[in-house]
Amino acid sequence: MERIEIPATKSNLIRLKDELVFAEDSLDLLDQKKEILVRQISSLAVRAEKVREEMNQRLIVAYERLQEAVIQYGEATVASVGLGLQAGEQLRVREKSLMGVVLPQVHIDIPPLKPGYGFYATGKGIDSTTVAIHRAMELAGELAEVEVGMERLIVELKKTLKRINVLSHIYIPKYQATIKAIDISLEEKEREDSFRLRRIRNKGM
């Protein structure tokens, strides 16, 4: 096992033992952080799947309504109506921190639907398309929130796992090997000093 190159003294031994305790405490904290991150990522993954599924369903409905409207009123009319639509949505983004990771909290305020087009050459087909698109927009903020949050947590988890790996497989074993080597060296030195002292005493008798 690779060791830290350091003189075998009692002061160095005490310092290394203190640093080993600090490294082991850090490893415990990183393990706790890892567990929290994994739980949060799992929770967001479940939520993201539900929101994504609901979003896809709403988009499918919106696309079907759009196709029906194009068939019924013509592409030019539908495109003209689309240019006149203004949802008036307002995006609000806040932030919260989890284990040092900044997570977005996204909310889209969409006012009650008020079609901005005239009634000439339009009808229920256009209205149902507008409502379907409006409903799909309602989930856009939540989907962005969970996907961005999950991505940031995964990045942090990878960093945490890398630190855990370095501590548990490199630094802590290196400290342990060095402490053991210094302990052995100091014990040998004490035995040599004790033997030398006995020889001096025996000579003096």
Side-chain angles (χ1 to χ4, degrees), residues 80-136:
S80 176
V81 168
L83 291 174
L85 285 175
Q86 293 183 350
E89 70 277 2
Q90 290 186 339
L91 180 66
R92 290 188 289 117
V93 181
R94 296 180 180 177
E95 293 180 340
K96 67 176 182 179
S97 179
L98 176 72
M99 305 302 292
V101 183
V102 177
L103 301 176
Q105 292 181 302
V106 183
H107 185 76
I108 298 180
D109 289 319
I110 303 178
L113 180 61
K114 293 180 180 180
Y117 49 83
F119 293 102
Y120 177 73
T122 64
K124 289 183 178 180
I126 295 290
D127 291 343
S128 62
T129 301
T130 305
V131 170
I133 293 173
H134 194 271
R135 291 194 71 237

Side-chain angles (χ1 to χ4, degrees), residues 25-39:
D25 288 344
S26 299
L27 182 59
D28 288 340
L29 290 174
L30 286 172
D31 277 328
Q32 293 174 28
K33 180 178 181 178
K34 179 195 71 175
E35 294 302 323
I36 293 171
L37 289 173
V38 168
R39 284 199 301 269

Side-chain angles (χ1 to χ4, degrees), residues 26-96:
S26 299
L27 182 59
D28 288 340
L29 290 174
L30 286 172
D31 277 328
Q32 293 174 28
K33 180 178 181 178
K34 179 195 71 175
E35 294 302 323
I36 293 171
L37 289 173
V38 168
R39 284 199 301 269
Q40 189 65 21
I41 290 169
S42 298
S43 175
L44 282 181
V46 172
R47 183 179 164 201
E49 185 177 355
K50 291 180 180 178
V51 175
R52 199 179 295 115
E53 184 179 349
E54 178 63 24
M55 181 78 165
N56 288 337
Q57 289 300 319
R58 293 189 185 190
L59 287 173
I60 289 171
V61 171
Y63 185 69
E64 289 174 349
R65 297 292 179 272
L66 179 62
Q67 285 184 313
E68 292 168 0
V70 169
I71 293 171
Q72 187 173 359
Y73 301 102
E75 189 174 337
T77 299
V78 173
S80 176
V81 168
L83 291 174
L85 285 175
Q86 293 183 350
E89 70 277 2
Q90 290 186 339
L91 180 66
R92 290 188 289 117
V93 181
R94 296 180 180 177
E95 293 180 340
K96 67 176 182 179

